[in-house]
């Protein structure tokens, strides 16, 4: 078969967005272009992902369906380009395909919540503008910017202020709507309407309003699509209060929503608060890139055999103060009684494992796990595997960004990476 670089780029993008998927390319007659055949893209989950998520969790299925539709539509547009034959598209075209597939997926999610299909150009232009902002500074500031696209207005605006074109001309707009103190609200016709300030959400939200949580809260309250450009130049999108797709280093990745549900199920929690904190922390660390081990236990006593007493934060008051090591004394200076995502990330990035109980209380951090054998695998993998024999679930984040789930001494699955455990 002749080379089809568009098909290759589309398939690569799908696997980029949702690692662990299988992509099947089918060629069918194209009524609009009889001289060539239409590309249809089928996407399915690989076995190691389906084993992680039970039938009651629909977020993965929704993402798989949305990716298949987006990839098919985007492939149709690019395959009609009058371009010379090639075995591989140039980098700008591959990047454009990735952004267009992400925009199509986001449009589908927004449409499902508003009941109408917003102009695809609005989402694409928003992504383009935020990518542009990620490489600039205003008044010596690293820019952040928050936008909510929602259908919450019945009246017509008194002033026609198009987003992002008119906002682009106002250089201070990103500073005003930074996504941390204020979010710009844009209607589904692409008109900037008003702002949603932090205090308006803060009174009604139990979440920490840092790192995009204001945008997340806005999508929870107003059923729209949120965009948040972080200072680290990553672009996060939110639906229904949860992260959906994240753009970093010119590539898109689906936030592992299914992992939150699965961890909640594994630890037998009544709600997903602890699982959500741990998964968000793992995902944030994977973007650094930094390694980490995060574990959740039902009973802290279960880790006595593998976590040294000096690393136990929960037993800091039981140790002889005169005989304490300097590192152990630090436990008394750490404010971790109300553990949030940012504090968890800070602690988990230290060498060693971070352990929580299923109520979200910190058990240990920087813990050097006692392992019997790491000869045939890395030290972090060996530690995660050993710890999972004593914990309800363990997440190991590699320096390459993979998140591997360990349970009962074995790797259940690997997310965000290319291979299963």
């Amino acid at each position: 078969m002749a080379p089809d670089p568009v098909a290759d780029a589309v398939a690569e993008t799908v696997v980029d967005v949702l690692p662990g998927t299988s992509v099947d390319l089918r060629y069918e007659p194209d009524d609009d272009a009889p001289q060539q055949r239409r590309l249809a893209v089928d996407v399915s989950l690989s076995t190691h992902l389906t084993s992680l998520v039970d039938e009651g969790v629909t977020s993965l299925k929704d993402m798989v369906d949305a990716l298949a539709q987006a990839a098919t539509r985007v492939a149709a547009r690019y395959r009609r380009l009058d371009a010379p034959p090639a075995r591989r598209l140039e980098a700008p075209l591959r990047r454009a395909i990735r952004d267009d597939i992400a925009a199509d997926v986001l449009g589908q999610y927004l449409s499902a919540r508003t009941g109408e299909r917003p102009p695809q150009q609005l989402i694409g232009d928003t992504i383009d503008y935020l990518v542009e902002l990620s490489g600039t500074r205003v008044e010596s500031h690293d820019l952040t910017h928050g936008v909510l696209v929602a259908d919450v207005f019945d009246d017509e605006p008194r002033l026609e202020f198009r987003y992002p074109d008119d906002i682009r001309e106002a250089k201070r707009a990103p500073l005003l709507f930074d996504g941390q103190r204020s979010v710009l609200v844009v209607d589904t016709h692409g008109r900037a309407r008003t702002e949603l300030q932090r205090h308006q959400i803060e009174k009604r939200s139990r979440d920490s309003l840092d790192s995009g949580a204001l945008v997340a809260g806005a999508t929870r309250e107003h059923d729209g699509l949120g965009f948040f450009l972080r200072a680290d130049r990553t672009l996060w999108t939110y639906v229904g209060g949860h992260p959906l797709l994240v753009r970093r280093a010119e590539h898109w990745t689906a936030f592992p929503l299914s992992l939150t549900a699965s961890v909640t199920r594994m630890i037998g929690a009544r709600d997903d608060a602890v699982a959500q904190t741990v998964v968000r922390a793992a995902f944030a660390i994977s973007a650094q890139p930094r390694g980490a081990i995060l574990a959740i236990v039902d009973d802290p006593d279960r880790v006595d055999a593998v976590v040294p007493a000096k690393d136990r934060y929960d037993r800091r008051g039981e140790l002889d103060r005169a005989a304490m090591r300097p590192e152990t004394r630090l436990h008394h200076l750490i404010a971790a009684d109300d553990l949030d995502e940012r504090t968890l990330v800070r602690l988990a990035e230290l060498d060693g494992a971070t352990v929580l109980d299923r109520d979200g209380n910190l058990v240990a951090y920087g813990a050097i796990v006692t392992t019997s054998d790491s000869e045939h695998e890395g030290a972090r993998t060996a530690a995660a595997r050993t710890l999972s024999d004593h914990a309800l679930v363990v997440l190991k984040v590699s320096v390459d960004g993979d998140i591997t789930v360990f349970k009962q001494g074995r790797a259940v699955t690997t997310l965000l990476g290319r291979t299963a455990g």
Side-chain angles (χ1 to χ4, degrees):
M1 181 180 292
D4 191 340
V6 170
D8 293 340
V10 164
E12 289 172 4
T13 298
V14 170
V15 176
D16 245 4
V17 172
L18 194 57
T21 51
S22 298
V23 181
D24 182 33
L25 305 176
R26 293 182 290 107
Y27 292 88
E28 303 171 343
D30 190 341
D31 296 334
D32 296 329
Q35 72 278 8
Q36 60 179 310
R37 298 174 69 79
R38 187 176 73 92
L39 175 66
V41 182
D42 295 326
V43 183
S44 59
L45 288 174
S46 298
T47 304
H48 75 276
L49 277 182
T50 55
S51 66
L52 177 68
V53 183
D54 61 27
E55 294 180 357
V57 181
T58 59
S59 57
L60 262 182
K61 181 181 183 302
D62 293 342
M63 179 58 69
V64 166
D65 292 343
L67 275 171
Q69 295 179 46
T72 298
R73 281 193 286 263
V74 171
R77 292 201 298 270
Y78 280 83
R79 292 179 81 242
R80 292 192 182 116
L81 291 176
D82 185 16
R87 290 194 173 274
R88 183 170 173 83
L89 296 179
E90 294 181 356
L93 269 180
R94 297 199 307 274
R95 183 167 56 247
I97 286 176
R98 292 194 294 266
D99 287 345
D100 282 354
I101 288 178
D104 191 293
V105 168
L106 294 171
Q108 292 179 60
Y109 274 84
L110 180 57
S111 177
R113 308 187 82 81
T114 63
E116 60 178 291
R117 184 75 174 174
Q120 193 65 26
Q121 185 177 356
L122 168 61
I123 297 177
D125 287 350
T126 299
I127 291 172
D128 186 60
Y129 173 54
L130 293 174
V131 170
E132 175 187 316
L133 283 182
S134 70
T136 61
R137 290 166 63 90
V138 173
E139 297 178 359
S140 301
H141 290 278
D142 288 323
L143 291 179
T144 63
H145 186 42
V147 183
L148 172 70
V149 180
D151 187 16
V152 294
F153 301 98
D154 295 325
D155 61 326
E156 291 295 311
R158 290 182 298 172
L159 175 67
E160 187 82 4
F161 206 39
R162 306 301 302 182
Y163 188 87
D165 290 346
D166 292 337
I167 290 291
R168 183 180 274 111
E169 301 300 321
K171 294 183 178 180
R172 292 183 178 179
L175 300 178
L176 288 171
F177 313 114
D178 62 0
Q180 299 176 85
R181 292 167 294 183
S182 172
V183 174
L184 179 64
V185 182
V186 176
D187 66 25
T188 52
H189 299 286
R191 300 171 298 192
R193 302 295 297 269
T194 187
E195 68 173 338
L196 186 60
Q197 296 181 27
R198 179 188 178 107
H199 69 85
Q200 296 171 286
I201 293 292
E202 196 169 45
K203 295 176 182 178
R204 302 185 288 267
S205 176
R206 61 182 174 83
D207 296 330
S208 165
L209 292 176
D210 294 316
S211 300
L214 177 58
V215 179
T219 64
R220 184 185 300 113
E221 291 212 359
H222 297 288
D223 225 17
L225 171 64
F227 295 86
F228 179 55
L229 173 65
R230 295 194 182 198
D232 63 5
R233 300 185 179 183
T234 59
L235 171 56
W236 290 58
T237 64
Y238 297 84
V239 170
H242 297 282
L244 184 62
L245 295 180
V246 180
R247 188 185 195 271
R248 54 190 183 192
E250 300 183 352
H251 289 261
W252 291 89
T253 305
F255 184 84
L257 288 173
S258 58
L259 183 55
T260 300
S262 298
V263 170
T264 302
R265 189 179 72 250
M266 288 176 181
I267 67 176
R270 291 185 296 273
D271 59 49
D272 67 354
V274 174
Q276 191 173 127
T277 299
V278 170
V279 171
R280 284 183 186 232
F283 192 75
I285 294 167
S286 77
Q288 299 302 327
R290 299 284 294 272
I293 297 174
L294 293 156
I296 302 176
V297 299
D298 57 346
D299 181 357
D301 291 345
R302 292 271 297 163
V303 298
D304 286 353
V306 292
V307 174
K310 68 178 181 62
D311 296 328
R312 293 289 293 270
Y313 176 84
D314 61 330
R315 294 184 177 173
R316 61 195 184 281
E318 302 173 10
L319 301 177
D320 180 4
R321 299 186 181 184
M324 277 186 189
R325 298 186 183 187
E327 292 83 359
T328 307
R329 290 174 177 267
L330 291 177
H331 297 339
H332 293 270
L333 305 179
I334 300 296
D337 291 336
D338 187 12
L339 199 61
D340 58 19
E341 174 194 335
R342 282 198 166 192
T343 302
L344 183 55
V345 168
R346 181 168 60 90
L347 297 176
E349 287 181 338
L350 300 173
D351 286 340
T354 303
V355 183
L356 287 71
D357 67 21
R358 61 181 173 185
D359 293 322
N361 300 309
L362 182 63
V363 175
Y365 68 91
I368 305 304
V369 177
T370 304
T371 59
S372 57
D373 179 25
S374 61
E375 181 180 349
H376 303 296
E377 58 187 353
R380 185 175 288 120
T381 299
R385 189 183 303 280
T386 298
L387 191 54
S388 71
D389 279 326
H390 306 266
L392 295 169
V393 64
V394 175
L395 305 184
K396 187 208 78 173
V397 185
S398 78
V399 293
D400 295 324
D402 303 350
I403 299 176
T404 304
V405 182
F406 286 85
K407 186 173 176 63
Q408 296 178 341
R410 68 183 186 90
V412 178
T413 191
T414 295
L415 299 174
L416 305 182
R418 298 295 184 184
T419 58

